[in-house]
Amino acid sequence: MKKRHSIDMCSGSIADKILLFALPLMASSLLQLLFNAADVVVVGRFAGKEALAAVGSNTSLINLLINLFVGLSVGTNVVVARDLGAGRHDNVSHSVHTAITLALSSGIVMMIFGVTMSRQLLEWMSSPTDVIDLASVYLRIYFLGLPANFAYNFGAAILRAQGDTQRPLYFLTFAGVVNVVLNLIFVIALQMDVAGVALATIISQYISAVLVLRCLMKEQGPLHLDLKRLGLKKQVVFRIVQVGLPAGFQGMVFSLSNVVIQSSLNSFDDAVLVAGSSAGSNIESFVYVTMNAFYQAAITFVGQNYGAAKCDRVDKVARQCVGFAVLFGLVVGNLAYFFGAPLVGIYAPGEPEVVRQALIRMSIICCPYFICGFMDTLVGVLRGLGSSMIPMAVSIVGACGLRLIWVATVFPLYRTPTCLYISYPITWTVTGLCHFLFLMLVVRRRAFAKLQNSGPAYLPMEGQHPEAK
């Protein structure tokens, strides 16, 4: 009997199911961004541009420190999806309990590290002197919410593996409303500035985490979570890490390159420039998640169909996910730039110079953002096929490496923010083409040949020894 919140990914039409999966996920991601956007808008309107810069300048650093564990949630999604497609329900149950244990334990470790090292990390990033005190306050409080952040992301990844993107949307909707209300109370009524918006954010994160864990505890079948069974199983950790660790490391290196660019922007020691770049980056994030929903769809749909040994559907899923990502990126990215001035004005009312700096950034990054969607969705296809090392290596060399070389060589010759921004579309293009060539010439052929030899009952992950099932 088909479960109410699941999607049959291995039979029937594809495009409508991809949209059924991706649109709620897109809305969920937009709500997650609204957590931070609410912080930025409230702080920009009621606490000034220094506080706005303090909140916005933390984004790249936060991403750097948590992307490893976000990558592990991707590994969880791939492992659960492939086992569901192949009908290995006992494996699914083991993966659920191991993943949640991994999320909670790693969240606590990172919380302790972040609270202890916040100020030092910002100093290493050359954070502007007029915002570093406020930025360190925001960062310390934000890190207190990491156990909840990780628990929600791993729990949502488990639900996504069966096609359930609707219930995470409901949870985030409720938590998002709480976040906005608390922002208004803490900042306007209690005058808590950046501490208030950070506190509102972590409270909402804990609410969403409790809701997703409660959902898994009430789930029937292989996705059921029993707190008494929490623990780490070596074989499951191996499978999750095999896909998730390269994915997380890739995300960390991407974030490192963004931290280098943020540090280069900070070197101008101009709060208006940093605030404008932060506001533009926040708007770009909304464009990015519309494309990223199809990256997530590619991972899950390819994973289930590959687990079920349906190669023809794998190819169709790949084409349609890439097509949707490019279409959404092209339309939404250019619309965001076209309406850029009023959108940035929400973050920085009465600050025309901040708006001007944001539009400079958006014209170079937001309009061609569909190239990034093409690049990322191909990575989703590769990971759904169990290949995580190749996209990691290509991304590190093609995107991150080239970006760092650009900062070290071209930027000193043309020392402007525009010179930094233009490195993004150039590196997306190079990396996307490399991913496409590796997918078509290496990974796809190898994965399908392996499938013909093993069948749906047993599908080893990339590089996995036959005994390590």
Side-chain angles (χ1 to χ4, degrees):
M1 181 176 176
K2 181 175 168 54
K3 295 180 68 174
R4 176 185 171 192
H5 295 288
S6 65
I7 295 175
D8 181 3
M9 303 181 191
C10 299
S11 62
S13 59
I14 296 175
D16 58 335
K17 292 178 180 178
I18 290 174
L19 288 174
L20 182 64
F21 177 96
L23 292 178
L25 179 58
M26 196 183 298
S28 298
S29 299
L30 290 170
L31 279 171
Q32 279 191 302
L33 283 176
L34 284 173
F35 286 176
N36 186 56
D39 297 347
V40 174
V41 170
V42 171
V43 113
R45 284 183 174 270
F46 299 103
K49 60 178 179 290
E50 288 81 11
L52 172 62
V55 173
S57 63
N58 276 308
T59 303
S60 57
L61 178 58
I62 289 170
N63 289 339
L64 172 64
L65 295 175
I66 70 174
N67 265 343
L68 174 63
F69 302 99
V70 172
L72 292 178
S73 74
V74 172
T76 298
N77 179 265
V78 172
V79 168
V80 174
R82 290 178 67 172
D83 284 340
L84 283 173
R88 298 189 289 261
H89 289 174
D90 287 342
N91 286 3
V92 173
S93 182
H94 293 321
S95 298
V96 168
H97 291 90
T98 297
I100 297 302
T101 305
L102 191 61
L104 294 173
S105 57
S106 57
I108 292 171
V109 171
M110 283 301 298
M111 176 185 70
I112 295 170
F113 172 80
V115 171
T116 304
M117 294 293 295
S118 292
R119 177 82 184 203
Q120 184 62 61
L121 292 168
L122 290 168
E123 290 177 356
W124 287 340
M125 279 185 63
S126 302
S127 185
T129 55
D130 54 348
V131 302
I132 190 169
D133 289 335
L134 292 172
S136 62
V137 169
Y138 179 86
L139 199 57
R140 283 194 182 97
I141 297 174
Y142 185 92
F143 275 112
L144 293 174
L146 284 191
N149 185 308
F150 290 2
Y152 172 79
N153 279 298
F154 277 70
I158 291 167
L159 292 174
R160 283 200 305 272
Q162 70 171 359
D164 183 2
T165 56
Q166 294 182 7
R167 284 184 290 182
L169 171 60
Y170 304 150
F171 305 151
L172 280 174
T173 300
F174 178 73
V177 171
V178 172
N179 183 63
V180 172
V181 172
L182 291 179
N183 269 328
L184 298 176
I185 294 172
F186 291 155
V187 177
I188 301 175
L190 301 181
Q191 299 291 306
M192 293 177 65
D193 294 338
V194 296
V197 292
L199 187 59
T201 297
I202 68 168
I203 290 173
S204 64
Q205 287 175 339
Y206 275 99
I207 290 173
S208 60
V210 168
L211 289 174
V212 79
L213 293 178
R214 181 175 177 271
C215 173
L216 289 171
M217 291 168 66
K218 290 182 172 293
E219 185 76 8
Q220 300 297 317
L223 297 189
H224 173 70
L225 174 66
D226 182 353
L227 296 180
K228 295 179 181 178
R229 295 179 58 197
L230 287 179
L232 298 175
K233 287 192 172 292
K234 184 177 178 181
Q235 291 181 344
V236 177
V237 172
F238 176 77
R239 295 185 68 204
I240 291 173
V241 166
Q242 198 166 36
V243 173
L245 194 60
F249 185 70
Q250 176 184 330
M252 287 181 68
V253 176
F254 261 109
S255 294
L256 177 61
S257 68
N258 291 334
V259 167
V260 170
I261 290 180
Q262 182 66 51
S263 298
S264 300
L265 287 171
N266 291 345
S267 70
F268 289 99
D269 203 17
D270 184 346
V272 172
L273 170 60
V274 174
S277 178
S278 297
S281 177
N282 271 274
I283 295 170
E284 290 157 16
S285 296
F286 286 91
V287 181
Y288 176 77
V289 298
T290 65
M291 302 181 295
N292 185 258
F294 298 104
Y295 158 79
Q296 299 286 351
I299 290 176
T300 306
F301 276 73
V302 168
Q304 276 215 22
N305 282 282
Y306 186 52
K310 297 190 175 182
C311 298
D312 289 344
R313 288 181 68 84
V314 168
D315 286 338
K316 292 177 182 178
V317 165
R319 288 194 298 268
Q320 295 191 27
C321 285
V322 170
F324 279 129
V326 170
L327 177 63
F328 273 72
L330 188 62
V331 173
V332 180
N334 283 273
L335 283 175
Y337 174 68
F338 183 78
F339 294 103
L343 289 173
V344 176
I346 297 173
Y347 293 88
E351 296 284 351
E353 274 303 303
V354 172
V355 173
R356 188 179 71 84
Q357 290 294 339
L359 290 177
I360 291 172
R361 177 186 171 108
M362 292 172 64
S363 66
I364 299 169
I365 296 178
C366 212
C367 293
Y369 223 169
F370 67 92
I371 304 172
C372 180
F374 170 78
M375 175 188 75
D376 275 358
T377 309
L378 287 175
V379 172
V381 175
L382 289 164
R383 288 185 178 142
L385 290 171
S387 176
S388 205
M389 294 299 294
I390 286 179
M392 179 194 74
V394 170
S395 297
I396 289 174
V397 175
C400 308
L402 287 179
R403 206 169 290 170
L404 295 176
I405 292 171
W406 184 278
V407 171
T409 58
V410 179
F411 175 60
L413 299 176
Y414 305 96
R415 201 172 183 280
T416 65
T418 299
C419 180
L420 292 172
Y421 300 147
I422 203 170
S423 66
Y424 285 95
I426 291 173
T427 54
W428 294 334
T429 302
V430 172
T431 308
L433 290 175
C434 290
H435 284 319
F436 178 76
L437 291 174
F438 272 106
L439 173 64
M440 299 307 296
L441 301 179
V442 179
V443 176
R444 178 181 173 277
R445 292 181 180 180
R446 184 180 63 188
F448 286 5
K450 189 181 294 183
L451 188 63
Q452 291 173 354
N453 294 330
S454 61
Y458 165 58
L459 288 172
M461 304 293 279
E462 181 184 60
Q464 184 174 330
H465 192 274
E467 281 80 20
K469 294 185 181 179

